[in-house]
Each structure stands twice: as C-alpha cells, then as structure tokens.
Amino acid sequence: MQHNAVKPPVVQPGSGNNIIVNPCQRGNPILECVKNVGKEFGDIVADYQVGRTTGVLFLSLKYHRLHPEYIHQRIERLGTSYNLRILLIVCDVSEHQDCIRELTKTCLLNNITVIVAWSPEEAGFYLSTFKQFEHKPPTLIKERVDKDYQSMLRTALTSINKVNKTDVEILRTSVGSFADVAQASASTLLQLPGFGQVKVKRIKDAFEKPFRGGGTDTLSFTSQPKGADKGKQRADAPRPRPPSPAWDIELDLDVTPPPSPPAPRKRPPSPVWDIELDLNDSDIEEAVRKRHKPDDGVDDEAEFGPAGLLQ
C-alpha cells in the first residue's frame, strides 16, 4: 500500500507577528536571511505578506531572463490586492539595466513599488524591516526637534551650509539671539573664531538674499545694450521681455472714427408705363374722348361690347 506524501499544513493568514509565506517560496534562500521575526506558510496571493495591507512579490533576474512571462502572470493574479504592493528584485546577473528598466515601467503601470536587493541577505533584511515596522507610526523616522529655544536656534542655523553646532554656540554666546545674528554685520562675524569669508557669506546670504522660486521670478524689462554678447549671458538669467504697449480706454475714444461707407447709388426711376401706351394713337384719343364724355345713360357694355362695335 503506497502512502501519499504528506503535504505540510497551510496556515491561513493571521494577525500575529509572523511573515506569511506563499508555499511556492519553499526553498528560497532569502527565508534563511529573515531575522528577528517569525515565518509561517499560508494561502496568500503574494509571495510574502509582511502586513495586513502589504504584499511582496519576489523575483530573481536570473529566473526572469529564462521566464519573462512569469512576473506578468503574477501581477495579473495579484489584481488590486493590498494597499502597498512591492516587487522585491534580487539582482543576480551582471547585465541588469535593461531588465530593471522594463520591470520598473511595468510596476509603474500597476501601482507597484520596486525594491532592488543585491544579495539574499539584503532581501531578507527588507522583509524583516517591513514586518517590524508594520504598526510603527510615520513619526518614528521623522526628524525630532526639541521645543526649547536653544534646540530650535541650533536647528535653524545649522540649515545654513558650512554652519555646524559649534558655530551656533559661538554665535549664541558672542552675538546673541537669532535676531541679533540676522542683523550682525559681516565685519562682526569675521571677528569670531572659526568664521571665514565663505562661512560669513553663507550666513549673510541666508538672511539678506531674496527668496526666489520658479513660479515667482520677476522678468526684467530692461533691454540689453547694443553689442552685448548673448552667448556670455548666464544660463539661469531671465530673458528680458519687451514692455507691453500703453493702453487706456480713453485712447479708443479719441481715435478718429473710420469714414462711413459710401451711400448706395440711387437707381433712376423706371419709365412710366401704362397699358394705354401699347395702344395706337387713334385708340388712345378714342378712349380719352369716351372717358370724358358725359353720361348719357348708355350701357358701357352695350357701347363697347361686340354688338356695339358692329353698329
């Protein structure tokens, strides 16, 4: 009697502190590099679930060269699962630029974050870190600044290039408050120990140089002098724009109105026309005579009818 090989139990994803591993990842060397967190196999869509809303797909570039369709099938199967979707790539080939460029384009279209590791140890460290920071607030990696005056002064002044914490202490003890440092002259700052021309210039520029942004640059309206070499101009200098022409609504009122269009030519009157003009002269005289003839009681129809004409 043959006994079927007993498959290891598949654990459903839980809410514990373990990384849920897809059974297809058995034998992956990065599992041995996952430290400080537990691991358990579970029925998941991704390869590794490092949080309730975070899934990781694993890909080796050496395997990707042999089976380029594999990762596309996995991404399609992943669908819209997980809020944070990660493609963890292990770069184990020498010529990797084209492969990573292609995979990056694919991940951008599918809302997937790309993380490239250069060894199994680095890939395992990424998985461990994601799981350990699953419930950590984002303020954990945010710069923390104390609320006391000295800490805020140190943070503000060290943001200037070439100024360190020792320089801040010298400024605080020798010059005074933040306002005193901002109003101090260059000669005063040069007398302090450790302050040279470059450092003093940086400090004065930080307080006196106007702020300029890409959307608030003012364009100069001054024209370039004749004979100036345009090739020697600074690349970042704004190009001069010619001034706009003066305009006022009153200018439009003073303008002489355009000449009115010529009046249409009058057409000569049509010649007088009457049906009587088509008659002969004798007919006209007869018609006029009878029109002015006094009424004698004779019926016009009898006079001008066919019977009357025969009389």
Side-chain angles (χ1 to χ4, degrees), residues 176-204:
S177 63
F178 184 83
D180 296 334
V181 174
Q183 298 174 0
S185 62
S187 58
T188 303
L189 297 177
L190 286 173
Q191 297 176 0
L192 301 177
F195 284 77
Q197 294 287 346
V198 177
K199 186 177 297 186
V200 171
K201 185 178 183 303
R202 299 280 186 179
I203 296 175
K204 298 305 294 181

Side-chain angles (χ1 to χ4, degrees), residues 22 27 51 61 76 116 132 162 182 184 198-199 202 204 206 214 216 225 227 235 237 255 261 266-267 282 292 303:
N22 194 313
L61 289 185
E76 182 179 0
V116 181
Q132 291 174 349
K162 303 295 184 180
V198 177
K199 186 177 297 186
R202 299 280 186 179
K204 298 305 294 181
T216 59
V255 176
K266 295 184 179 181
R267 189 177 60 179
S282 59
H292 296 283
E303 183 178 359

Side-chain angles (χ1 to χ4, degrees), residues 14-267:
S15 59
N17 297 325
N18 295 339
I19 295 179
I20 310 301
V21 183
N22 194 313
C24 68
Q25 291 294 308
R26 292 183 182 274
N28 194 327
I30 71 171
L31 291 176
E32 301 178 359
C33 303
V34 176
K35 308 293 184 181
N36 302 324
V37 292
K39 302 178 289 291
E40 62 183 24
F41 291 95
D43 188 9
I44 58 176
V45 181
D47 291 329
Y48 302 94
Q49 181 172 310
V50 294
R52 281 187 172 273
T53 59
T54 306
V56 181
L57 292 177
F58 175 82
L59 180 65
S60 167
L61 289 185
K62 186 180 295 184
Y63 184 85
H64 177 66
R65 285 188 171 183
L66 298 176
H67 305 280
E69 74 286 349
Y70 166 78
I71 190 60
H72 298 281
Q73 296 174 357
R74 293 300 307 275
I75 292 177
E76 182 179 0
R77 195 182 311 165
L78 186 65
T80 58
S81 303
Y82 304 104
N83 295 337
L84 177 58
R85 302 129 60 82
I86 301 171
L87 177 61
L88 180 58
I89 302 174
V90 172
C91 185
D92 48 5
V93 296
S94 57
E95 300 295 334
H96 56 272
Q97 290 84 358
D98 295 338
C99 295
I100 294 179
R101 187 181 301 110
E102 173 194 355
L103 291 171
T104 302
K105 293 180 180 179
T106 303
C107 292
L108 285 174
L109 296 176
N110 292 276
N111 193 22
I112 298 177
T113 303
V114 178
I115 295 180
V116 181
W118 303 93
S119 63
E121 291 78 13
E122 184 179 358
F125 174 76
Y126 285 140
L127 294 177
S128 304
T129 304
F130 271 110
K131 187 60 182 178
Q132 291 174 349
F133 283 77
E134 176 184 2
H135 302 291
K136 301 295 183 181
T139 56
L140 185 65
I141 59 177
K142 184 179 179 181
E143 181 183 7
R144 286 170 291 187
V145 180
D146 296 333
K147 298 302 181 180
D148 59 294
Y149 177 78
Q150 294 184 6
S151 300
M152 297 174 65
L153 178 66
R154 181 170 55 252
T155 303
L157 293 179
T158 52
S159 62
I160 304 174
N161 193 10
K162 303 295 184 180
V163 178
N164 52 35
K165 295 181 180 180
T166 303
D167 298 332
V168 175
E169 291 299 322
I170 294 176
L171 290 172
R172 186 180 63 83
T173 56
S174 302
V175 180
S177 63
F178 184 83
D180 296 334
V181 174
Q183 298 174 0
S185 62
S187 58
T188 303
L189 297 177
L190 286 173
Q191 297 176 0
L192 301 177
F195 284 77
Q197 294 287 346
V198 177
K199 186 177 297 186
V200 171
K201 185 178 183 303
R202 299 280 186 179
I203 296 175
K204 298 305 294 181
D205 288 346
F207 290 108
E208 298 178 359
K209 193 173 182 180
F211 292 99
R212 298 183 61 185
T216 59
D217 288 345
T218 57
L219 299 177
S220 175
F221 296 136
T222 58
S223 59
Q224 295 292 334
K226 295 183 178 180
D229 188 4
K230 296 182 180 181
K232 295 182 180 180
Q233 297 179 3
R234 291 178 52 187
D236 56 347
R239 295 182 179 179
R241 186 179 64 181
S244 302
W247 180 87
D248 193 353
I249 190 171
E250 297 180 357
L251 298 180
D252 295 340
L253 301 178
D254 297 337
V255 176
T256 304
S260 57
R265 292 184 299 176
K266 295 184 179 181
R267 189 177 60 179

